[in-house]
């Protein structure tokens, strides 16, 4: 039976070992990542099924919902298994119109960390990612002021480890002058390969690279090519895309999201899919 452990683990610190196949909780909110889920009982069941399958890496944020997803995670999983690590993001706020708004001021960041801790029922967050941008392309602005706030909270014991979301290599370099970084979470998939060099850097430096939107941003032609590879292997395009990422680098940890237990099982099954060299060559060509 496929479990999250089929994809192996990443040890990022003495107290932080995560399954490479994690779970992203964003889709547990309502449409547009706003409001309550259509089926709260299924959302709870999905979380419990993920943990039962060995997932020890759940990605969330208090701006999913907002608040809704963290409350569901606590309802489903508290008290948490000792080996479960919950990763959150700060740096944005949701408007009443479901808009995504930057919230990178000192007070915003401190409040967001406290809110995540409170709603999840934790004493401290395992990992907090600083979400730097609300849209692409990624800028090269200094992040020292914002990251230093999270570093202070780490020194206070409210955060154990720090990460970045939607960050450039230069911003990672700047952050590392302030505090250790254990994760970088950026858009990356078969078709979106702009961070190839950053993936390689994370592998060299023992940092987890956590791609989001494994099927996001494909052109119709690229999607057709992915479908063709999946058909040739008698599997799904989602499984192919996830398997490609797992084989792309041992530093990659995945957080595919779903609000369905059936889709959760399909995602986990990607850990058992070994892509042959010919398929990898076809997929590499998609990204140009």
């Amino acid at each position: 039976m496929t479990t999250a452990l089929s994809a192996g683990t990443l040890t990022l610190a003495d107290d932080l070992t995560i399954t490479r196949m994690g779970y992203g909780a964003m889709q547990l909110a309502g449409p547009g990542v706003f409001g309550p889920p259509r089926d709260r009982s299924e959302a709870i069941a999905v979380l419990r099924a993920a943990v039962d399958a060995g997932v020890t890496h759940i990605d969330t944020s208090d701006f999913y919902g907002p608040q809704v997803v963290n409350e569901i995670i606590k309802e489903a999983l508290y008290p948490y298994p000792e080996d479960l690590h919950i990763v959150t993001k700060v740096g944005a706020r949701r408007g009443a119109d479901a808009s995504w708004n930057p919230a990178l001021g000192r007070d915003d960041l401190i409040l967001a960390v406290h809110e995540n801790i409170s709603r999840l029922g934790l004493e401290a967050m395992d990992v907090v990612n600083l979400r730097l941008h609300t849209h692409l392309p990624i800028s090269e602005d200094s992040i020292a002021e914002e990251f230093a706030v999270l570093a202070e909270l780490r020194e206070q014991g409210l955060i154990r480890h720090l990460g970045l979301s939607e960050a450039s290599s230069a911003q990672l370099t700047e952050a590392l002058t302030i505090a250790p970084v254990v994760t970088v979470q950026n858009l990356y998939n078969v078709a979106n390969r702009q961070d190839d060099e950053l993936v390689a850097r994370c592998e060299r430096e023992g940092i987890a690279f956590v791609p989001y939107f494994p099927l996001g941003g494909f052109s119709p032609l690229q999607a057709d090519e992915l479908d063709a590879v999946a058909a040739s292997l008698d599997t799904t395009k989602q499984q192919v895309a996830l398997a490609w990422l797992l084989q792309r680098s041992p530093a990659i940890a995945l957080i595919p999201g779903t609000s369905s237990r059936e889709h959760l099982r399909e995602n986990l099954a990607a850990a058992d899919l070994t892509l042959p060299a010919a398929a990898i060559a076809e997929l590499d060509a998609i990204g140009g």
Side-chain angles (χ1 to χ4, degrees):
M1 181 180 70
T2 300
T3 71
L5 288 172
S6 300
T9 61
L10 283 174
T11 297
L12 305 173
D14 290 343
D15 61 343
L16 184 63
T17 296
I18 61 172
T19 46
R20 292 185 68 204
M21 183 65 80
Y23 173 74
M26 183 175 73
Q27 292 188 33
L28 296 183
V33 200
F34 198 75
R38 294 186 178 93
D39 187 340
R40 189 181 184 92
S41 62
E42 179 65 9
I44 290 171
V46 167
L47 284 163
R48 291 175 177 167
V51 171
D52 288 345
V55 168
T56 65
H57 170 205
I58 292 179
D59 179 84
T60 185
S61 178
D62 212 39
F63 52 67
Y64 293 162
Q67 295 101 42
V68 171
V69 169
N70 279 353
E71 291 170 354
I72 292 173
I73 290 173
K74 183 181 179 183
E75 181 179 347
L77 301 177
Y78 187 88
Y80 302 109
E82 289 186 7
D83 63 347
L84 180 65
H85 299 289
I86 300 178
V87 179
T88 195
K89 291 174 288 298
V90 296
R93 284 268 172 188
R94 303 300 296 280
D97 59 351
S99 57
W100 300 78
N101 304 306
L104 290 162
R106 178 181 178 84
D107 291 344
D108 293 323
L109 295 172
I110 292 172
L111 177 61
V113 170
H114 280 278
E115 287 178 336
N116 276 275
I117 290 171
S118 175
R119 290 198 175 88
L120 288 165
L122 297 168
E123 294 182 358
M125 290 301 312
D126 284 325
V127 183
V128 174
N129 288 324
L130 178 63
R131 183 177 188 264
L132 297 170
H133 307 282
T134 55
H135 57 81
L136 297 176
I138 289 173
S139 78
E140 294 291 350
D141 295 341
S142 172
I143 62 168
E145 184 175 346
E146 295 85 354
F147 196 72
V149 175
L150 298 187
E152 288 178 28
L153 296 178
R154 176 176 171 269
E155 291 296 320
Q156 294 170 20
L158 294 173
I159 302 171
R160 296 188 178 96
H161 302 283
L162 298 175
L164 299 172
S165 179
E166 299 177 359
S168 69
S169 186
Q171 288 167 334
L172 172 58
T173 297
E174 183 178 39
L176 287 168
T177 67
I178 299 169
V181 174
V182 298
T183 64
V184 172
Q185 187 178 117
N186 281 10
L187 171 65
Y188 186 79
N189 56 40
V190 173
N192 294 272
R193 304 278 297 279
Q194 65 278 357
D195 275 342
D196 273 344
E197 291 184 6
L198 185 54
V199 171
R201 178 183 177 182
C202 287
E203 183 176 335
R204 291 193 303 271
E205 298 183 17
I207 298 169
F209 187 94
V210 185
Y212 64 83
F213 294 148
L215 285 174
F218 281 52
S219 71
L221 179 58
Q222 290 168 330
D224 287 345
E225 292 172 341
L226 181 62
D227 284 336
V229 172
S232 72
L233 299 174
D234 193 25
T235 187
T236 69
K237 63 182 180 181
Q238 177 81 354
Q239 289 171 329
V240 169
L242 294 174
W244 181 87
L245 287 165
L246 287 171
Q247 290 179 231
R248 171 66 183 82
S249 168
I252 285 180
L254 302 183
I255 50 169
T258 179
S259 58
S260 158
R261 280 172 286 178
E262 179 182 355
H263 290 157
L264 173 68
R265 288 189 290 270
E266 291 176 1
N267 290 340
L268 290 174
D272 286 335
L273 177 61
T274 300
L275 299 174
I280 290 176
E282 288 184 60
L283 294 169
D284 286 347
I286 290 177

